[in-house]
Amino acid sequence: MTYRVGVDVGGTFTDCVLLRPDGTLVLEKSPTTPEDQSLGVLNGIAQLAEAEGLEGSEALLRQTESIVHGTTAADNAMIQMRGANTGLIVTRGFRDEIELRRCYKEDIWDPAYPAPQPIAKRRVRLEVDERMTAEGEIETPLDEEAVRAAARRLKAFGVTSIAVVFIHSYVNPVHEKRARELILQAFPEVELISLSHEVYPKPPEFERTSTTLVNAFVGPPIVRYLDRLEKRLADTGFSRELLLATSSGGVATPDNIRQRALATISSGPTGGVVAAARAAADAGMGDVISVDMGGTSYDVCLIRDGKPDIKSDWNWRHRYCIALPMVDVVSVGAGGGSIARSRDGQLTVGPDSAGSQPGPVCYRRGGTEPTVTDADLLCGRLDPAGFWGGRLSLDVDGARAAVGRVGEAVQLGIDEAAVAIIAIIDAHMCDGIRRALSLAGADPRQLDLVAFGGMGAVHAVEHARELGMKRVLVPQAAPAMSALGLLTADHLLDDARALLADWRNIDLDRLSGLAAELEADAIQQLEAAGVAPELRRFEWMLNMVYPGQTFDTAIPVTKGIGASLSRDALLASVEEFHRRNEATRLVEARSQEPVIRGIRLVASGLVDQPKLSEVVSQADAMEPIGKRRLYSGGAWHEEAPVYSGERLGHGDSVTGPALIQSRFTTLVMGAGDVANVLKNGDILVEVAPR
């Protein structure tokens, strides 16, 4: 028997999914270990082995075909600004571009809003003489001694990682490649040299500088983490394929991530989005909004035509621009661990989180400040004896005392304070959905909601009711949806080569040569990942702009494997570029001739999708396993029935107010809500209007 394992590291729990050969799933959760995430990963794998009846992690890993891992290590490095000591070498005149940041300011109304903490302070941002033209011709030769001197100076300042960003290197990288050789001569022990043409081989200049600098900053911590994880897995018997989640919704090999580590930033939520899109399609839904509520954040993503929206050039994460393709997830600092406090006599909730350590008060790990989880417990939404699969007995008295203290500070009783905490966090999360939809021009009343994460089902129905949505889908694997999504995500490679020219004068032979380079690199990486030729897919695009525009528009272009680009394919792409511009900007601009700025390849390796079997209802499925005093749908219900999610099967239906309780989550329903169990075990809730 061979297994596949998916692992997603969250702020509070590390979610693990075991996929059996027959398509059935095993879900487990392990507390995240912030000091070294690999420890939490191994603990979660040990729990999977125990649940499968195997004698330890070694027995499981010997039978495991692949492990797909989503990590927040890069995000943590940026949040805490604890990446590598990073230096920057640039073309003379571009030393301060990273601070100019296109005059972008997160809060335009606050004149005193501080600048972000610098990744590389000015004293370790050094200039050298060199210049490449936009056509790739050498205008000023590289001053090789200046590069050696810069490397020696950065070494003296304690720098361990160096970013190199030369003007127009995306057209001709010869100076950047030579700079790497010179740096290694003067500073052979440097941990990482990040070259801009390898990280982001496109204009504009600021986006390339920021992206390359972030890669140099987070690269060494990611590499060290991967080394620890791979060693621990190997020592425990794993000898097969480890894959890492990327921010564009796919997976990549460790070698690929070592070169472009920043591709893991914000990669965690993408797995859930990928799985949510598939779950919505299986349920016959159209466009949906996915929400992932865990312990520290609430992640929102619009899924249209079965695919999540992806932004490519203007992604700001942790106050830095990262110009790589990313699933367009809007994150709100709201989750089960969000802390409730009294500020000047007013009740506030979040964005500060209790995280996994010490966690909510009811976890009995030393937490003293009340959280959303504590409030949910007091409102009857969580089972004190059945939390975390029954492994953790929740401290109801501790939660009451903590919520009571903050309630007293704002002149509310314990129950009133718990309800108020939930109302405030729900308002924050609904605002996050509204913000994501308003930016995309979408109406929530025309969408359905897909909810996952450990706390997603607890709050989702009320969010849908508030937003005027009619249906909520809670997948069977909702508590570990991101891990499942990572497990089923395709291999994904996204790369480009630059060539700037008016489309009428473009050198098709040279453009075809760049395409051949992309194709050869993609085939090599997919072969290294073990993807068979028949499972490879290639999507070609031309990066195009009108003269004077800053950001590219990627336009599909027809090209066969091993074939050259044809003039007819080019003409079709130009026509499509005009059409899209007219459709999106409502302006006709055919008098202008587009500029081609390069060619892009998105190569994917398809992964076999699990075929989940039908979930059969047990004989006593519709018998409540208990009753609880519950606050839901804006009212208290003294004896709301509690049903076992594990006993329900295809065709079963539950009408609220009620709770459907599973091992790692609980679906909370208000009066009039109706939950129907689908064939694969997912639950579709028809939401009663307010």
Side-chain angles (χ1 to χ4, degrees):
M1 179 179 285
T2 57
Y3 300 98
R4 287 158 60 189
V5 174
V7 180
D8 175 56
V9 179
T12 305
F13 284 101
T14 294
D15 299 337
C16 300
V17 170
L18 181 71
L19 177 62
R20 300 187 180 108
D22 63 0
T24 57
L25 303 173
V26 179
L27 310 182
E28 282 294 343
K29 284 179 176 282
S30 174
T32 293
T33 50
E35 69 283 357
D36 183 354
Q37 292 181 0
S38 64
L39 296 174
V41 172
L42 268 295
N43 291 339
I45 291 173
Q47 290 176 355
L48 288 176
E50 181 181 350
E52 189 65 0
L54 299 173
E55 295 184 3
S57 303
E58 193 168 345
L60 172 61
L61 291 177
R62 283 204 186 102
Q63 302 178 64
T64 298
E65 179 183 89
S66 65
I67 297 176
V68 186
H69 178 33
T71 174
T72 57
D75 292 272
N76 291 343
M78 291 297 295
I79 291 169
Q80 303 169 18
M81 292 307 288
R82 292 183 180 175
N85 291 330
T86 304
L88 176 65
I89 299 176
V90 297
T91 305
R92 187 168 301 282
F94 291 86
R95 184 181 188 184
D96 298 318
E97 185 161 20
I98 188 63
E99 293 197 30
L100 297 177
R101 64 199 322 252
R102 288 195 181 277
C103 300
Y104 177 75
K105 197 173 184 181
E106 288 84 351
D107 187 350
I108 63 174
W109 307 112
D110 183 0
Y113 196 74
Q117 186 174 337
I119 288 176
K121 294 182 178 180
R122 199 168 194 271
R123 62 175 176 266
V124 291
R125 301 200 305 264
L126 306 180
E127 300 174 321
V128 298
D129 287 320
E130 73 85 37
R131 185 84 183 193
M132 197 73 64
T133 69
E135 293 72 35
E137 302 296 329
I138 296 176
E139 181 176 293
T140 302
L142 177 65
D143 186 339
E144 297 193 352
E145 184 50 41
V147 176
R148 293 189 186 95
R152 290 192 292 267
R153 178 174 176 178
L154 293 177
K155 179 180 179 180
F157 271 113
V159 163
T160 60
S161 183
I162 298 174
V164 180
V165 185
F166 290 159
I167 189 76
H168 300 313
S169 61
Y170 49 86
V171 181
N172 184 350
V174 62
H175 283 177
E176 284 194 352
K177 290 181 176 179
R178 179 56 179 159
R180 173 159 50 197
E181 297 172 356
L182 297 168
I183 292 168
L184 288 173
Q185 291 174 14
F187 189 3
E189 61 271 33
V190 65
E191 282 192 274
L192 177 66
I193 301 173
S194 186
L195 304 183
S196 71
H197 79 275
E198 294 177 345
V199 177
Y200 185 67
K202 291 171 56 180
E205 202 66 25
F206 164 72
E207 286 73 15
R208 189 157 50 92
T209 301
S210 178
T211 304
T212 306
L213 196 60
V214 171
N215 189 68
F217 185 65
V218 303
I222 287 291
V223 170
R224 290 194 292 268
Y225 172 70
L226 285 177
D227 289 344
R228 286 197 306 272
L229 179 62
E230 287 187 305
K231 184 178 186 305
R232 286 198 166 111
L233 288 172
D235 290 346
T236 318
F238 183 67
S239 60
R240 304 293 289 277
E241 183 180 63
L242 173 67
L243 295 171
L244 282 299
T246 66
S247 55
S248 59
V251 294
T253 63
D255 287 342
N256 185 273
I257 294 300
R258 284 184 172 93
Q259 185 178 24
R260 197 184 288 186
L262 85 167
T264 64
I265 289 180
S266 298
S267 63
T270 65
V273 172
V274 170
R278 291 198 173 108
D282 290 342
M285 291 178 162
D287 295 347
V288 300
I289 192 87
S290 74
V291 295
D292 178 1
M293 183 179 176
T296 58
S297 67
Y298 186 75
D299 301 315
V300 181
C301 184
L302 177 61
I303 299 172
R304 290 190 274 206
D305 299 323
K307 295 181 180 180
D309 285 352
I310 294 180
K311 288 176 65 177
S312 58
D313 292 309
W314 195 245
N315 294 300
W316 286 82
R317 297 291 188 274
H318 315 297
R319 303 203 66 192
Y320 277 84
C321 180
I322 301 171
L324 292 184
M326 289 186 174
V327 172
D328 192 10
V329 175
V330 175
S331 294
V332 181
S338 295
I339 297 172
R341 293 183 175 126
S342 170
R343 298 183 189 274
D344 300 323
Q346 292 187 334
L347 183 63
T348 65
V349 185
D352 293 343
S353 173
S356 60
Q357 294 292 340
V361 174
C362 61
Y363 282 11
R364 305 176 191 268
R365 292 182 184 156
T368 58
E369 295 185 281
T371 67
V372 172
T373 297
D374 296 308
D376 280 328
L377 175 64
L378 299 186
C379 287
R381 299 170 168 209
L382 304 177
D383 183 357
F387 192 75
W388 188 21
R391 295 189 181 96
L392 180 62
S393 175
L394 299 179
D395 184 359
V396 178
D397 293 337
R400 288 186 65 82
V403 172
R405 285 193 297 272
V406 76
E408 184 178 357
V410 295
Q411 300 181 348
L412 292 174
I414 295 176
D415 285 352
E416 293 174 314
V419 169
I421 290 169
I422 290 171
I424 291 171
I425 204 67
D426 282 345
H428 287 327
M429 292 186 282
C430 286
D431 282 347
I433 295 176
R434 291 188 183 98
R435 184 163 65 251
L437 295 182
S438 64
L439 292 172
D443 185 345
R445 295 169 297 181
Q446 299 174 359
L447 302 170
D448 294 321
L449 189 71
V450 181
F452 53 95
M455 298 294 287
V458 177
H459 291 256
V461 175
E462 191 57 37
H463 294 171
R465 196 181 342 269
E466 172 66 24
L467 294 164
M469 305 173 82
K470 296 179 176 61
R471 297 191 299 178
V472 174
L473 180 68
V474 180
Q476 182 187 24
M481 197 72 167
S482 290
L484 175 62
L486 299 176
L487 191 61
T488 58
D490 295 330
H491 296 259
L492 195 62
L493 304 170
D494 192 329
D495 205 355
R497 294 288 188 274
L499 180 63
L500 279 63
D502 184 303
W503 76 273
R504 296 168 297 180
N505 304 320
I506 197 77
D507 185 340
L508 272 181
D509 290 338
R510 186 176 174 192
L511 194 61
S512 295
L514 295 175
E517 290 179 17
L518 288 171
E519 190 174 294
D521 288 347
I523 290 174
Q524 181 182 9
Q525 292 187 56
L526 291 174
E527 284 180 348
V531 178
E534 63 271 16
L535 298 177
R536 300 170 191 170
R537 301 292 183 270
F538 295 85
E539 182 181 0
W540 293 95
M541 287 160 279
L542 291 174
N543 293 325
M544 304 174 73
V545 294
Y546 284 123
Q549 285 185 321
T550 300
F551 296 114
D552 299 335
T553 300
I555 302 296
V557 64
T558 302
K559 193 191 92 66
I561 296 178
S564 298
L565 285 163
S566 69
R567 178 64 58 175
D568 288 343
L570 177 61
L571 287 170
S573 295
V574 170
E575 175 61 28
E576 176 65 11
F577 176 75
H578 285 305
R579 189 198 67 78
R580 289 194 185 188
N581 179 74
E582 292 167 6
T584 56
R585 296 179 174 85
L586 303 179
V587 175
E588 192 277 329
R590 291 176 182 266
S591 59
Q592 300 184 61
E593 298 297 345
V595 173
I596 293 177
R597 300 213 297 195
I599 187 164
R600 175 182 170 192
L601 170 62
V602 178
S604 54
L606 304 184
V607 171
D608 290 336
Q609 301 302 313
K611 295 178 175 59
L612 302 180
S613 56
E614 180 177 347
V615 177
V616 180
S617 176
Q618 297 185 19
D620 57 351
M622 298 311 299
E623 290 295 324
I625 58 174
K627 294 185 178 182
R628 283 210 298 273
R629 182 172 182 258
L630 170 68
Y631 182 84
S632 67
W636 284 98
H637 309 281
E638 293 303 320
E639 291 190 329
V642 182
Y643 297 90
S644 168
E646 280 76 21
R647 295 180 184 176
L648 296 175
H650 181 209
D652 288 337
S653 181
V654 174
T655 301
L659 298 132
I660 299 178
Q661 182 173 300
S662 301
R663 288 184 67 210
F664 299 116
T665 194
T666 299
L667 172 59
V668 177
M669 300 162 56
D673 299 330
V674 180
N676 298 295
V677 182
L678 304 182
K679 183 177 180 179
N680 61 1
D682 295 354
I683 298 177
L684 184 62
V685 182
E686 302 289 340
V687 180
R690 186 177 292 281

